[in-house]
Amino acid sequence: MYNISIDCFFGRCPVYINSAYLGRTDEDIEALTEAYQKMVKLAPTGNFTEFHNADMAFHRCICKIARNDVFLMVQYLLQDILRIQQESNSNLYGIVKGSSQEPSDDNFVLKLLAADHEKYVIALREQNPSIAIDDLSKYLRQYEAMPD
């Protein structure tokens, strides 16, 4: 199944996570942790729009940590261009993960999405980008195997 938003996500995340871990500071880790915690807080509300705004802020934070203006510019462009596909992608993610669409459930799709972002925080804290990148490869194969 082809989805340009997913292709863009899987294409850019390994690049900027690899760039970010090298020069990150304690303040960078703190900023990313705060962005992650905002996602965790918003997940149980079931508000896809607010959650995705926080998700995009999280990824912009990684681009800032990478200290690469091009990454940041691309992130801003893609988040605006592909915003419409974001909820659809969350639903696809939910199918891949076997999650619930009910916000009160522990396995609600936004709760699982938020939890998966913790891997980025850990990867940068431990200066080991493979912690985050390994999961991306697994999910990309699952997305690609889904029927149209």
Side-chain angles (χ1 to χ4, degrees):
M1 173 171 68
Y2 182 72
N3 181 317
I4 190 169
S5 178
I6 290 172
D7 279 359
C8 289
F9 174 76
F10 286 107
R12 74 185 190 279
C13 282
V15 174
Y16 70 58
I17 196 76
N18 268 317
S19 298
Y21 90 95
L22 292 171
R24 99 291 185 271
T25 65
D26 290 342
E27 291 80 19
D28 293 332
I29 300 300
E30 186 176 318
L32 190 62
T33 300
E34 287 175 14
Y36 164 70
Q37 289 170 343
K38 183 170 184 178
M39 291 176 66
V40 170
K41 182 179 177 183
L42 286 168
T45 69
N47 185 326
F48 277 87
T49 301
E50 288 300 314
F51 180 84
H52 287 297
N53 289 338
D55 185 8
M56 294 298 103
F58 178 90
H59 289 279
R60 285 192 308 272
C61 187
I62 295 173
C63 292
K64 290 175 185 174
I65 293 168
R67 290 163 181 72
N68 185 315
D69 291 339
V70 174
F71 290 165
L72 194 55
M73 180 183 67
V74 168
Q75 180 65 30
Y76 273 109
L77 289 171
L78 288 177
Q79 74 186 29
D80 291 338
I81 292 169
L82 304 175
R83 183 173 301 276
I84 295 169
Q85 271 191 316
Q86 293 300 319
E87 187 168 343
S88 172
N89 290 349
S90 293
N91 290 330
L92 287 174
Y93 175 88
I95 293 167
V96 168
K97 295 284 275 193
S99 66
S100 168
Q101 295 297 314
E102 188 59 45
S104 61
D105 292 341
D106 288 340
N107 69 333
F108 175 52
V109 64
L110 295 184
K111 291 177 185 177
L112 296 178
L113 270 168
D116 276 354
H117 282 70
E118 184 178 26
K119 293 177 180 114
Y120 289 93
V121 177
I122 295 167
L124 291 180
R125 184 181 304 126
E126 295 184 11
Q127 293 187 305
N128 183 356
S130 67
I131 293 170
I133 293 170
D134 290 347
D135 267 5
L136 293 175
S137 299
K138 177 179 70 177
Y139 291 128
L140 181 56
R141 287 190 303 277
Q142 290 174 323
Y143 279 121
E144 289 174 337
M146 293 179 69
D148 289 333

